[in-house]
Amino acid sequence: DQQVKQNSPSLSVQEGRISILNCDYTNSMFDYFLWYKKYPAEGPTFLISISSIKDKNEDGRFTVFLNKSAKHLSLHIVPSQPGDSAVYFCAASSPGGTSYGKLTFGQGTILTVHP
Amino acid sequence: DVKVTQSSRYLVKRTGEKVFLECVQDMDHENMFWYRQDPGLGLRLIYFSYDVKMKEKGDIPEGYSVSREKKERFSLILESASTNQTSMYLCASSSQPRGYTFGSGTRLTVV
């Protein structure tokens, strides 16, 4: 049962345009969401996060939007740069308790930004 | 910065071999995790540990075991490697339930 889903395996955009990566989740207990970026032969690195009490969080060129009623979040990258080409993973966590901070990841979306 | 070090970047092992993947973190984190990454499947949790000598099964523990004898070290063991365990293995650590620091990964090929 895939609780976090990234339905687009890949996305191709032109340099300077907006990249929008989408993520859906099914578990209403998730209260914190994160995006990770992964280059080939490297481990994922944290990009941006958002708490369920917010609907938007912005960090430079990266903005994450959360729509709790739709159980949907998206990552916007503006403007996109060739160096943004990577695999992007959406992840979600439940509040404390026995989860020990366990993150549930989506399948990933390969972003390619063309010069 | 927190550093998570995985002992090998690339490994090639034969079917049936016992394989040890080592992970060390240097920031006194309580929680450590092992994931595998496969195309189209994302990152799937194999095992995690929230304290020394404590472990919990993740979503796909079959064929794997783990060991955490010291807080900084979390080992993943493939008891008898099989070709379907060919994958990228990622270790992560966390001090609180809000995000991980990952190692660089170990690309394991079982032939």
Side-chain angles (χ1 to χ4, degrees):
Chain A
D1 178 29
Q2 190 81 28
Q3 296 187 67
V4 178
K5 295 181 182 180
Q6 294 174 254
N7 292 315
S8 297
S10 62
L11 175 67
S12 182
V13 300
Q14 207 66 30
E15 182 178 7
R17 307 294 289 268
I18 185 171
S19 296
I20 299 176
L21 295 94
N22 294 303
C23 179
D24 297 296
Y25 62 96
T26 57
N27 187 343
S28 59
M29 295 300 293
F30 289 146
D31 72 335
Y32 199 78
F33 303 90
L34 308 93
W35 285 93
Y36 283 81
K37 176 180 177 180
K38 185 182 185 298
Y39 292 117
E42 294 183 15
T45 55
F46 171 76
L47 192 57
I48 192 169
S49 62
I50 187 168
S51 165
S52 60
I53 62 173
K54 295 186 175 182
D55 55 18
K56 177 183 175 181
N57 188 28
E58 191 171 355
D59 183 3
R61 296 187 296 116
F62 303 91
T63 303
V64 55
F65 295 92
L66 175 63
N67 183 333
K68 283 181 61 180
S69 61
K71 293 189 176 69
H72 177 83
L73 65 155
S74 61
L75 173 68
H76 292 209
I77 306 173
V78 184
S80 302
Q81 300 173 354
D84 296 329
S85 298
V87 181
Y88 289 79
F89 290 100
C90 171
S93 76
S94 305
T98 59
S99 67
Y100 300 106
K102 187 178 70 170
L103 291 179
T104 300
F105 288 85
Q107 303 96 314
T109 297
I110 301 169
L111 173 65
T112 304
V113 181
H114 298 284
Chain B
D1 280 351
V2 175
K3 193 169 182 181
V4 178
T5 303
Q6 294 184 231
S7 54
S8 303
R9 294 297 299 271
Y10 300 94
L11 275 179
V12 180
K13 296 292 181 181
R14 294 192 181 279
T15 301
E17 275 193 80
K18 190 168 186 176
V19 181
F20 293 85
L21 302 183
E22 305 288 345
C23 177
V24 177
Q25 51 97 358
D26 64 359
M27 284 298 288
D28 203 36
H29 284 175
E30 293 85 12
N31 304 325
M32 296 188 75
F33 307 84
W34 275 106
Y35 284 82
R36 61 179 282 179
Q37 181 198 356
D38 300 288
L41 297 176
L43 277 66
R44 294 180 292 166
L45 181 64
I46 305 170
Y47 266 97
F48 66 102
S49 169
Y50 50 90
D51 202 351
V52 176
K53 296 191 186 294
M54 305 302 286
K55 60 186 179 184
E56 291 280 345
K57 291 180 180 179
D59 301 318
I60 51 164
E62 297 78 18
Y64 303 94
S65 62
V66 290
S67 172
R68 194 166 181 201
E69 297 297 318
K70 294 185 178 181
K71 192 173 186 179
E72 67 270 19
R73 186 180 297 270
F74 191 35
S75 302
L76 179 69
I77 303 155
L78 287 66
E79 297 291 341
S80 177
S82 63
T83 54
N84 63 12
Q85 292 178 309
T86 291
S87 186
M88 167 70 87
Y89 289 87
L90 292 160
C91 175
S93 73
S94 172
S95 64
Q96 37 87 29
R98 294 313 189 211
Y100 297 169
T101 299
F102 281 92
S104 297
T106 297
R107 170 72 65 183
L108 173 67
T109 302
V110 182
V111 298

